[in-house]
Amino acid sequence: MNELSEPLLLPSAQEIDDMKQDEFECWVRSAHKELPKRKEQRNPLTHLRKRISEILSNEKLTEVQKEARVLSEIERFDIIISQSQVLTSS
C-alpha cells in the first residue's frame, strides 16, 4: 500500500504534548485500533502465512475445515492485494 495515500494518524510530538487528557485518551484508543490494520495492510503476505500456519496447527479442525479456512484466508489476501493495487495506481 502506498503510504502517501493513507490519512495521517500520528500527530507530531508537539501535538501530543498539547493534547488534553481526554483528547489523548481518545487518540490512543483510535491508534490502538487503526495501527494493527495498517501494519497488516502494509505487509499482508506475512500475516497470511501466520494465519494459515495457525489454521493448519489447530488440531480441533478437520481437514475439510482447514481447507475451507485456508481458502477463505487466501481469498481475503487477494482482496487486500487488489485494494492495495487500486490505491497505488491512483
Side-chain angles (χ1 to χ4, degrees), residues 1-3 5 81-90:
M1 177 176 282
N2 184 348
E3 290 185 47
S5 68
I81 294 301
S82 296
Q83 289 173 345
S84 175
Q85 290 172 348
V86 167
L87 291 173
T88 57
S89 66
S90 299

Side-chain angles (χ1 to χ4, degrees), residues 12-84:
S12 68
Q14 184 62 50
E15 289 172 322
I16 289 287
D17 291 341
D18 292 344
M19 284 183 188
K20 296 177 182 168
Q21 183 74 19
D22 59 332
E23 292 173 321
F24 181 68
E25 287 179 26
C26 183
W27 176 82
V28 167
R29 279 189 238 104
S30 175
H32 187 255
K33 290 178 186 175
E34 189 62 28
L35 290 175
K37 292 178 193 174
R38 289 179 179 224
K39 180 180 178 184
E40 182 171 1
Q41 289 172 340
R42 288 184 183 116
N43 194 356
L45 191 57
T46 299
H47 294 277
L48 174 64
R49 181 182 310 189
K50 180 180 176 187
R51 287 191 304 269
I52 289 175
S53 178
E54 288 172 356
I55 291 166
L56 296 176
S57 67
N58 187 340
E59 296 177 4
K60 295 178 182 177
L61 297 176
T62 67
E63 191 71 16
V64 172
Q65 291 171 319
K66 288 178 183 182
E67 289 175 0
R69 290 185 184 188
V70 167
L71 179 58
S72 176
E73 290 298 335
I74 291 170
E75 290 170 344
R76 182 173 177 258
F77 172 78
D78 284 341
I79 291 169
I80 291 170
I81 294 301
S82 296
Q83 289 173 345
S84 175

